[in-house]
């Protein structure tokens, strides 16, 4: 397949849609009033003054979820070429795939047994 | 086992969620209860409280309403008003004082109507108590006899 | 051909900016741009599969990972 | 046994016991052990020449009620060690009536803004003297008598 | 000439848009908040006027309904919330308390009238005003914005 | 001090990297103007501190400034969701103080009205509770049902929300045959409608999973904090003043006091909903037993109300929808109350909030706060 | 024939009518005139699709508000236009005039970028959806191999915009919302992609068009029922829809990641959410319910009907479920959806290998 004009249109959409949005926002900026109140640009916090650090420390469980997520996402990518041609490849390859997934799932199961996937809760 | 102790299993839970969605789906076929105010005029019961109205004919200037008013909304003011002779005999207002009401602080508590010995003060449902400027909120006894629409029209100050 | 050069240049520039930006959030923004840019290069080279994978894995997973790490890091904005 | 100063009865038939203010903590502890496990409220009355602290107790087993009063000149022992719920009641009594509770962990104003002048439920509180509240940059309240410095 | 007409028409259209789409701010203070919720509920349903999108953040909302007593401790917060709303913004002062202090007008810690804190466009008297009162006020406000009588 | 103890008990450690977030005074789920200063570790609450006073309207001071009947309007505005319950607490106390007899019919009318208002109050709670749990529809159904009650109350009292209906010595107006008819038609399908709404909650797996074990308060803590009402009953104590210390004519009426053992949000929901059913039962019985006669003590003509003098002190506890409510009145022999103290249930209930919040998640916070059903007119007074 | 060539022929007709011949514009043998024509058509096409997306959003929001009113025994907007249909126009007019507030403490660049990242992928997704292949003017805009991967990619990018938006606005609720958005993104992407793999296995192709054609006899929802449920739930989770609207849960975090956004920027977030919903229902209809396949009516109408049903289901779910808690949400993703999706993968492999030529 070659680079057809319609594919170019798809690629152009990545540029054109933001431009349309930018025009929309520009129009909005043109029409919007310019006066501001004294506290307008303060951070909103239910009417109170926002004090202290706004960043919350993450629970340690997040690290596990991130890692598991990346592992499984890459796993998904490795499965994709196989998925397109399952019929051609047949059952032999399928066993390999089962093994591959079993290893991943085994890891996940181990982690959940170890309690990495539990959120601290009373 | 009581209702509080039972935790539904996953299947039961999914069934419950779907049942809930179905209940709410069925609600969509029930008749609509909306009353289209302000076009649709609602009926108010006889005892409905609302803005204070004063019948200057029957007011005798006894100051009871001023005494019972919880937050000083009612204040007696000097006001000259010529009553009809027959009512003047029955309801004399010797001191020529009549209540004036600050409608912005009036809370429609009905105490003045309850205490009024001659029934001169009444509270009636008036949904027109909408203003765009906060002034002239203390109504004179004369203004107290009129409806909000009569007083201000559509152009509410 | 010109398009390829433009895309490549953009990729190099955004990569440099991502590496040199002091602000972590800006850095990851440039990296997001870089990811899309590389996907566009693959797309231009008519390798749609790799292009889609680029978006799925990098934009979907790695950038999310990165932004989460930005949230983990303390006071990323003060490093001006 | 803590001596009782005097006894009376309220209109709704509940016994009122007057106790010296030094003994109040001990007395209430005794009463709590007797079964008055509920502290319904703590309040105060300003009698112009002295203040009175009033404790309403309830026994959730028998349903019996008891009112304990203590005359004070503005200071009394805190009972937060006996009932956790006493915390807010005492703070409120301090806030509105100005009765100090010794041993209270956090005796600050609770209903009014921090920095308010005077205790409003005192009979001599000047109602006509308006106070105005505003927010500081760090999120705390400020109170002033000037109208332009607050709302 | 035609340019002027265009500008006027556009201006009118924009005013119409502002007026007819007032998203209220979820901001209940006291008793009147319940009547505000009633006005939102099925029986009165002010969604008919396009106000069904209750917004929880002041940045998204256009209409602040001060529904209840504004105490002195709350007043600076009300001002803050009002400032954090984006223009064009409108304020309805609902009820006797918000309009003039109501039953608490003689108290020590109540602001007598929210107009000392934020600029008010509509006052509704009554304690609490009936939901139909609020809906009528909303409608009048909408019409006045569309006519260009209320500006921000 | 208490909060650090709570943390220790639940095994939570304060880190140095803690973010402090304010929820309120304007927040969709704090039911008014509560502000909760929350310290968060990720999603978990490590410290919660309720800050109140944003609706302090000096009801006590203003009541001490006027005649007895005038105080009633401030009492009305305490728990504005159930104004008649508040009025009941006041008029009972004031009548006791002044030794005023009330005709029988007025007592029965009061009972009926109070129960109607209790149902309306619980409907508000149920609707906003649904809203806090993330579902929009129950709110509208609850307000639809509540509106039916309000039409009855409007017919009898003349107001929708704040009534000023109970007078010292009776009630201000009699119930009309039309309003009795309205109540009968309302009663006929109330239980069915309520069951439909409560099933949305009870049958939902998500709701049950979120509320069971959330916001737990043990019975000892409950008593120590002075918590009363449905929260106490949900913690396992069958304590209802209508049964334990009957006022009005509650001793002549059959009703059950619901109670649960768990003391969590789910138990509170069950208790409140069962209470609504029981209230409807009470209303039905009152309709049968309503005697004829005066609705107002004729000995006290209305203008005299201003001048009634009283001495002594009285406190009549009543069971309001939130818990034990009463007004402590001290008279000094004049027509003006000398001391007017409100025992508000929400104030005591809310003081137990840290014990129910610390250690749970933000999502649990909204569920717990709404399960306490605080009304800020009453908390801040 | 698709939209691009349709527009191309219109342009060609116009040029013919104006007696302009664009082919001779050449330079060193390159047909620059043709390129310019292509460019114009591409721009027009993107704008058309953008308008289509906006139209879908407007209709969806209107239907949503009306339907929500319906199940709550209300009337809903009824003042502007017939049955209140102009209400959304007024809303857009209002949003355009709203002030654009950027908090002082916010990271301005990132704050500005976020709305684009939310809305742009959705429009591109609309360009890839196969709208049909038999009608005279089918709206299938672009067809090439691996379209299904790009479709899913467009659905995956928008959470990134949400995270950046919440992160940059320097707001505590926004921060928590961004965290939750990240958690959602992480937990629900994997099951979604794995159930997509199952579909690809059955269809034997990465092309959305081929996937639709493969469902000519039996829609994939029949063999892949489990996968459909997983995909549906995952889409619910990705699209910030109840019961999984944790990142912008109103009663917990005021508005989550969009708390600080005002005016049109917020409007883009608001519309982007609905556009994402529309796209998600189109994708579900395409890969599980046979897309434009159907008797009698033209394919486009079938797709719109199928997707419309799903949009209504989404809306119904929105008003009739409680919100789940964040830990339950993650538990569901990792402990139930992920293993189930792998079970489903094996089932579909079984179908593909041993069920002969049915699929």
């Amino acid at each position: 397949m070659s680079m057809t004009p319609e594919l170019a249109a798809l690629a152009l959409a990545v540029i054109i849609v933001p431009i349309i949005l930018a025009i929309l926002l520009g129009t909005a900026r043109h029409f919007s009033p310019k006066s501001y109140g004294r506290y307008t640009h303060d951070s909103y916090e239910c009417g109170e003054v926002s004090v202290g650090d706004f960043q919350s420390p993450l629970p340690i469980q997040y690290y596990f979820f991130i890692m598991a997520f990346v592992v499984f996402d890459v796993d998904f990518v490795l499965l994709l070429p196989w998925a397109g041609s399952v019929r051609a490849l047949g059952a032999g390859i399928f066993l390999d795939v089962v093994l591959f997934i079993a290893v991943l799932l085994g890891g996940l199961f181990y982690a959940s047994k170890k309690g990495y996937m539990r959120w601290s809760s009373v | 086992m009581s209702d509080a102790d039972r935790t539904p299993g996953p299947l039961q839970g999914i069934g419950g969620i779907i049942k809930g969605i179905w209940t709410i789906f069925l609600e969509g076929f029930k008749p609509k209860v909306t009353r289209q105010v302000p076009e649709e005029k609602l009926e108010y019961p006889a005892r409905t409280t609302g803005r204070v109205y004063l019948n200057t004919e029957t007011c005798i200037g006894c100051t009871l309403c001023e005494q019972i008013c919880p937050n000083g909304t009612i204040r007696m003011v000097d006001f000259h008003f010529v009553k009809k002779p027959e009512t003047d005999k029955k309801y004399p207002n010797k001191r020529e004082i009549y209540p004036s009401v600050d409608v912005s602080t009036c809370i429609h508590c009905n105490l003045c109507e309850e205490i009024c010995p001659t029934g001169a003060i009444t509270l009636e449902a008036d949904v027109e108590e909408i203003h765009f400027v906060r002034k002239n909120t203390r109504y004179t006894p004369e203004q107290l006899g009129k409806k909000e629409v009569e007083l201000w029209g559509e152009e509410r100050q | 051909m010109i398009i390829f050069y433009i895309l490549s240049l953009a990729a190099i520039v955004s990569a440099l900016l991502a590496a040199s930006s002091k602000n972590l959030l800006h850095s990851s923004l440039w990296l997001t741009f870089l990811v899309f840019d590389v996907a566009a290069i693959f797309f231009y080279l008519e390798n749609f599969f790799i292009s889609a994978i680029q978006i799925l894995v990098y934009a979907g997973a790695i950038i999310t990972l990165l932004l989460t790490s930005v949230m983990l890091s303390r006071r990323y904005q003060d490093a001006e | 046994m803590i001596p009782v100063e005097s006894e009376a009865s309220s209109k709704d038939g509940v016994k009122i016991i007057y106790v010296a203010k030094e003994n109040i903590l001990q007395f209430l502890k005794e009463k709590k052990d007797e079964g008055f496990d509920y502290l319904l409220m703590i309040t105060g009355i300003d009698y112009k020449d002295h203040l009175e602290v009033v404790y309403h107790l309830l026994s959730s087993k028998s349903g019996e009620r008891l009112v304990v009063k203590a005359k004070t000149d503005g200071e009394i022992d805190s009972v937060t060690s006996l009932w956790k719920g006493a915390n807010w009641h005492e703070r409120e009594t301090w806030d509105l009536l100005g009765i100090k509770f010794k041993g209270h962990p956090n005796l600050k104003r609770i209903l009014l803004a921090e920095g308010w002048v005077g205790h409003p439920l005192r009979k001599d509180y000047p109602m006509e003297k308006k106070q105005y509240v505003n927010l500081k940059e760090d999120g705390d309240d400020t109170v002033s008598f000037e109208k332009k410095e607050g709302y | 000439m035609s340019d002027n007409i265009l500008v006027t028409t556009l201006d009118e259209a924009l005013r119409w848009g502002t007026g007819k789409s007032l998203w209220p701010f979820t901001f209940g203070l006291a008793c009147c908040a319940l009547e505000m919720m009633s006005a939102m509920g099925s029986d009165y349903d002010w969604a008919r006027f396009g106000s069904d999108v209750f917004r929880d953040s002041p940045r998204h909302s256009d209409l602040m309904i001060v529904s209840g007593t504004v105490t002195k401790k709350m007043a600076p917060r009300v001002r803050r919330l009002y400032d954090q709303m984006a223009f064009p913004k409108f304020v309805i002062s609902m009820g006797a308390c918000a309009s003039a202090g109501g039953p608490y007008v003689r108290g020590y810690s109540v602001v007598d009238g929210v107009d000392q804190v934020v600029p008010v466009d509509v006052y509704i008297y009554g304690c609490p005003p009936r939901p139909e009162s609020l809906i009528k006020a909303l409608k009048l406000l909408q019409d006045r914005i569309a006519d260009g009588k209320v500006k921000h | 001090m208490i909060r650090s103890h709570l943390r220790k008990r639940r095994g939570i450690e304060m880190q140095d990297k803690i973010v402090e977030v304010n929820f309120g005074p304007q927040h969709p789920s704090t039911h008014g103007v509560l502000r909760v200063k929350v310290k968060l570790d990720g999603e978990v609450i490590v410290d919660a501190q309720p800050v109140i006073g944003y609706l302090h309207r000096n009801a006590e001071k203003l009541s001490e400034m006027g005649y007895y009947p005038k105080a009633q309007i401030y009492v009305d505005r305490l728990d504005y969701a159930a104004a008649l319950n508040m009025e009941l607490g006041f008029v009972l106390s004031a009548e006791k103080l002044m030794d005023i007899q009330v005709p029988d019919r007025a007592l029965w009318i009061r009972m009926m009205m109070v129960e109607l208002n209790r149902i309306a109050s619980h409907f508000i709670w149920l609707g906003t509770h649904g809203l806090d749990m993330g579902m929009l529809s129950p709110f509208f159904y609850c307000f639809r049902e509540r509106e039916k009650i309000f039409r009855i109350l409007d017919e009898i009292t003349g107001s929708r929300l704040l009534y000023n209906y109970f007078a010292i010595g009776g009630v201000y107006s009699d119930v009309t045959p039309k309003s009795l008819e309205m109540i009968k038609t309302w009663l006929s399908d109330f239980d069915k409608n309520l069951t439909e709404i409560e099933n949305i909650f009870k049958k939902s797996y998500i709701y049950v999973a979120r509320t069971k074990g959330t916001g737990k308060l043990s019975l000892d803590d409950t008593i120590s904090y002075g918590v009363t009402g449905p929260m106490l009953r949900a913690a396992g104590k069958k304590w209802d003043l209508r049964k334990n210390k009957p006022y009005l004519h509650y001793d002549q009426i059959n009703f059950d006091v619901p109670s649960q053992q768990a003391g969590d949000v789910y138990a509170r929901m069950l208790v409140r909903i069962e209470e609504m059913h029981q209230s409807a039962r009470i209303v039905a019985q009152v309709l049968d037993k309503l005697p004829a006669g005066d609705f107002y003590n004729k000995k006290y003509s209305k203008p005299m109300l201003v001048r009634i003098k009283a001495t002594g002190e009285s406190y009549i506890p009543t069971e309001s929808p939130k818990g034990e409510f009463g007004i402590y009145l001290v008279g000094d022999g004049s027509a003006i109350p000398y001391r007017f103290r409100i025992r508000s249930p929400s104030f005591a209930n809310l003081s137990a909030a840290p014990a129910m919040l610390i250690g749970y998640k933000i999502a649990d916070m909204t569920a717990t706060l709404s399960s306490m059903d605080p009304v800020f007119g009453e908390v801040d007074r | 024939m698709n939209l691009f060539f349709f527009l191309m022929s219109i342009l060609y007709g116009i040029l013919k009518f104006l007696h302009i011949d664009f082919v001779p514009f050449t330079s060193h043998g390159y047909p620059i005139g043709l390129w310019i024509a292509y460019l114009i058509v591409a721009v027009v096409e993107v704008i058309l699709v953008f308008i289509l997306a906006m139209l879908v959003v407007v209709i969806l929001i209107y239907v949503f508000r009306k339907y929500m009113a319906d199940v709550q025994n209300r009337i809903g907007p009824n003042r502007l236009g017939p049955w209140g249909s102009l209400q959304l126009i007024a809303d857009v007019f209002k949003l355009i005039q709203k002030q654009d507030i950027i908090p002082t403490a916010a990271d301005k660049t990132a704050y500005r970028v976020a709305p684009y990242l939310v809305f742009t992928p959705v429009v591109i997704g609309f360009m890839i959806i196969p709208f049909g292949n038999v009608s005279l003017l089918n709206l299938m805009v672009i067809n090439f191999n691996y379209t299904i991967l790009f479709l899913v990619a467009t659905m995956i990018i928008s959470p990134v915009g949400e995270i950046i938006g919440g992160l940059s606005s320097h707001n505590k609720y926004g921060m928590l919302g961004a965290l939750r958005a990240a958690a959602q993104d992480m937990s629900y992407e994997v099951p979604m992609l794995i159930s997509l793999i199952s579909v690809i296995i059955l269809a034997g192709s990465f092309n959305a068009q081929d996937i639709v054609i493969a469902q000519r006899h039996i829609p994939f929802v029949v063999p892949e029922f489990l996968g459909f449920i997983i995909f549906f739930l995952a889409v619910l989770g990705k699209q910030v829809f109840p019961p999984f609207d944790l990142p912008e849960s109103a009663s917990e975090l005021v508005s989550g990641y969009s708390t600080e956004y005002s005016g049109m920027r917020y409007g883009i977030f608001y519309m982007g959410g609905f556009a994402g919903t529309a796209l998600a229902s189109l994708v579900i209809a395409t890969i599980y319910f046979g897309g434009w396949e159907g008797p009698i009516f033209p394919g486009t109408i079938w797709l719109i009907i199928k997707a419309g049903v799903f949009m209504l289901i989404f809306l119904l779910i929105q008003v009739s479920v409680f919100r789940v808690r964040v830990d339950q949400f993650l538990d569901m993703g990792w402990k139930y959806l992920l293993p189930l999706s792998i079970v489903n993968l094996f089932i579909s492999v079984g179908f593909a290998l041993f069920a002969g030529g049915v699929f």
Side-chain angles (χ1 to χ4, degrees), chain F residues 302-353:
Chain F
K302 283 164 190 170
M304 260 184 77
L305 273 177
V306 183
R307 312 277 157 78
I308 301 171
K309 294 182 173 60
T311 49
E313 61 177 79
S314 80
Y315 169 79
I316 304 284
T318 59
E319 187 74 28
S320 91
K322 276 87 189 169
E324 174 171 334
F325 173 83
I327 287 180
Y328 177 55
L329 282 172
V330 180
D332 63 342
S334 69
I336 294 171
Y338 190 76
R339 181 75 176 100
F340 187 96
R341 174 57 156 73
I342 299 147
R343 199 278 169 194
S344 61
S346 291
F347 183 77
N349 293 0
L350 197 67
S351 70

Side-chain angles (χ1 to χ4, degrees), chain G residues 94-107:
Chain G
K94 194 274 309 282
L95 279 176
I96 280 182
Q97 290 171 84
K98 285 294 269 185
Q99 206 167 25
D100 182 22
I101 298 169
I102 303 179
T104 335
D107 188 327

Side-chain angles (χ1 to χ4, degrees), chain B:
Chain B
M1 251 184 12
S2 78
D3 223 7
D5 304 330
R6 206 181 61 234
T7 311
L11 270 182
Q12 223 177 345
I14 291 166
I17 290 169
I18 290 171
K19 207 174 165 191
I21 293 173
W22 180 247
T23 316
I24 285 173
F25 177 68
L26 288 183
E27 285 282 342
F29 298 101
K30 281 194 180 169
K32 292 179 174 142
V33 293
T34 308
R35 293 173 291 176
Q36 297 223 31
V37 287
E39 286 81 12
E40 192 181 324
K41 289 278 173 275
L42 305 181
E43 273 182 35
Y44 294 106
R47 224 190 97 86
T48 306
T49 57
R51 213 205 79 191
V52 176
Y53 285 86
L54 177 70
N55 187 350
T56 29
E57 290 285 340
T58 51
C59 178
I60 56 169
C62 64
T63 72
L64 271 175
C65 48
E66 190 188 16
Q67 287 177 43
I68 196 72
C69 187
N71 59 344
T73 285
I74 295 181
R75 222 179 282 157
M76 305 307 281
V77 290
D78 296 328
F79 179 70
H80 182 66
F81 178 74
V82 184
K83 291 184 175 183
K84 289 184 198 131
E86 63 268 26
T87 50
D88 197 26
K89 196 166 282 171
K90 205 172 171 194
Y91 303 108
N93 195 338
K94 292 268 165 48
R95 288 190 281 169
E96 294 218 321
I97 48 172
Y98 291 88
S100 77
V101 176
D102 185 350
V103 287
S104 69
T105 54
C106 176
I107 53 167
H108 307 171
C109 63
N110 223 5
L111 281 174
C112 43
E113 185 184 334
E114 290 291 343
I115 208 165
C116 186
T118 61
I121 287 183
T122 49
L123 271 71
E124 278 162 37
D126 196 343
V127 296
E128 306 284 331
E129 281 191 281
I130 301 156
H131 294 258
F132 295 106
V133 178
R134 184 184 160 193
K135 63 178 185 189
N136 295 341
T137 52
R138 184 162 282 284
Y139 283 15
T140 60
E142 195 180 8
Q143 283 173 314
L144 280 177
K146 289 179 183 154
K147 284 242 164 208
E148 289 277 308
V149 184
E150 291 169 31
L151 279 173
W152 310 115
E154 283 304 309
E155 207 48 50
R156 285 150 218 276
Q157 306 243 336

